[in-house]
Amino acid sequence: MQPIYEGKAKRLWGTDDATTLRMEFKNDATAFNGEKKASFESKGRLNNAISTLIYKYLERSGIPTHFVRQIDETNVEVKRVDILMVEVIIRNVAAGSFLKRTGMEEGRTFSAPIIEFSYKSDELGDPLINDDYIREMSLATPEDLAFLRESALKVNTILSSFFAEVGLKLVDFKLEFGRLVSDPSQIVLADEISPDGCRLWDLKTGEKMDKDRFRRDLGNVMEAYEEVLKRLTARLESN
Ligand code: TMP
Ligand code: ASP
């Protein structure tokens, strides 16, 4: 059997139902648009567990998502969507590519979240784009874009407090959205939400608990992901 799609960290498989897919989390990690590669034995399992827990929490908080159910350690069932080719990045604290573009120092908390869009194209290296590009490239209508902004800010509010409750600062993160194949008028949150696509700093020590440990060769990459999972699980079990 062949996957219907294979990305850098996931595979998508068809199911008996034309409106759902199986999303498999791989152990592969890449950075800098695929230039740096590695594989971590437990990454698929950890990201699946973290993403599943976050998706369930978001659904309970009223955010429509592609999530259906966890199948096993490395697979979830998701509603089939046509992914919008716009990545939505939310930044609460200066880090990553923001520093390169502005010359600012890492760590400044913004007065309000910054929303950025990038064109989802590995070939072009996911370039930064704006509302006018999105309209002219027909990536989303202005109405869709307004919905993406509003949803991304809601997700930011929900997840910033969720992570703060477990001693983690949600520095920045990337979201993807898709149109349900079963009802194209509906746009839902799709893809994974894990330390691969978020920056998370320990509130007490400032320690990086996300993929920057791999990008910057800080070591203990999976130990950090494991700790994120442990804290989120404990937080949910305490309720
Ligand atoms: P950046 O600072 O490198 O632009 O990244 C911003 C956030 O987006 C960060 O939390 C990591 C995430 N991200 C992805 O999920 N995929 C990507 O390809 C890139 C470049 C960033
Ligand atoms: N996900 C991107 C890549 O693989 C970039 C990153 O996360 O740093 O290459």
Side-chain angles (χ1 to χ4, degrees):
M1 219 171 58
Q2 290 291 319
I4 63 160
Y5 169 85
E6 177 149 9
K8 291 183 290 238
K10 274 166 329 268
R11 289 186 195 94
L12 291 174
W13 302 86
T15 66
D16 296 341
D17 177 352
T19 65
T20 71
L21 293 176
R22 173 163 66 87
M23 182 166 89
E24 180 195 355
F25 290 75
K26 304 199 289 185
N27 286 334
D28 301 340
T30 66
F32 313 117
N33 206 22
E35 267 171 47
K36 179 169 176 168
K37 288 194 185 83
S39 181
F40 296 95
E41 210 188 285
S42 46
K43 182 166 167 288
R45 169 180 68 79
L46 289 170
N47 277 354
N48 186 22
I50 294 168
S51 189
T52 290
L53 190 148
I54 291 175
Y55 264 98
K56 285 185 180 170
Y57 188 73
L58 287 174
E59 282 277 348
R60 281 208 303 278
S61 309
I63 303 290
T65 80
H66 71 158
F67 183 82
V68 179
R69 69 184 174 103
Q70 183 167 16
I71 297 171
D72 59 27
E73 273 202 342
T74 51
N75 289 277
V76 281
E77 185 181 334
V78 294
K79 292 175 194 159
R80 193 170 184 149
V81 298
D82 287 323
I83 286 281
L84 299 176
M85 300 310 271
V86 187
E87 297 186 347
V88 185
I89 291 131
I90 297 89
R91 299 183 189 274
N92 297 305
V93 177
S97 66
F98 179 85
L99 309 178
K100 288 212 187 77
R101 275 193 297 275
T102 59
M104 268 170 68
E105 300 252 315
E106 186 177 75
R108 194 181 108 178
T109 298
F110 299 125
S111 60
I114 290 181
I115 302 192
E116 267 169 38
F117 300 106
S118 63
Y119 176 37
K120 188 173 158 59
S121 162
D122 282 342
E123 207 189 334
L124 299 175
D126 299 342
L128 186 70
I129 53 177
N130 69 14
D131 299 40
D132 295 338
Y133 283 54
I134 292 169
R135 184 192 63 241
E136 294 304 323
M137 293 165 78
S138 302
L139 300 179
T141 65
E143 293 72 30
D144 291 342
L145 198 54
F147 175 78
L148 298 191
R149 261 182 212 285
E150 192 192 327
S151 308
L153 287 173
K154 266 192 214 157
V155 171
N156 186 41
T157 304
I158 296 165
L159 292 187
S160 291
S161 7
F162 189 44
F163 281 118
E165 285 171 33
V166 300
L168 294 169
K169 173 115 200 142
L170 180 57
V171 170
D172 56 31
F173 60 105
K174 186 252 311 179
L175 295 178
E176 296 191 22
F177 293 86
R179 234 177 254 293
L180 286 183
V181 164
S182 60
D183 175 9
S185 69
Q186 239 192 295
I187 295 177
V188 299
L189 193 62
D191 196 39
E192 70 181 289
I193 301 182
S194 73
D196 269 15
C198 300
R199 285 196 174 88
L200 299 165
W201 295 352
D202 186 277
L203 275 168
K204 278 204 198 106
T205 64
E207 205 180 344
K208 299 184 195 310
M209 307 288 285
D210 55 68
K211 201 163 100 176
D212 269 352
R213 301 204 69 81
F214 167 62
R215 294 190 190 98
R216 295 162 73 160
D217 297 318
L218 301 174
N220 295 333
V221 184
M222 286 307 105
E223 287 78 359
Y225 285 39
E226 190 87 63
E227 175 65 20
V228 170
L229 175 61
K230 196 177 108 195
R231 291 193 200 182
L232 293 175
T233 307
R235 153 73 177 74
L236 290 175
E237 281 170 358
S238 72
N239 263 11

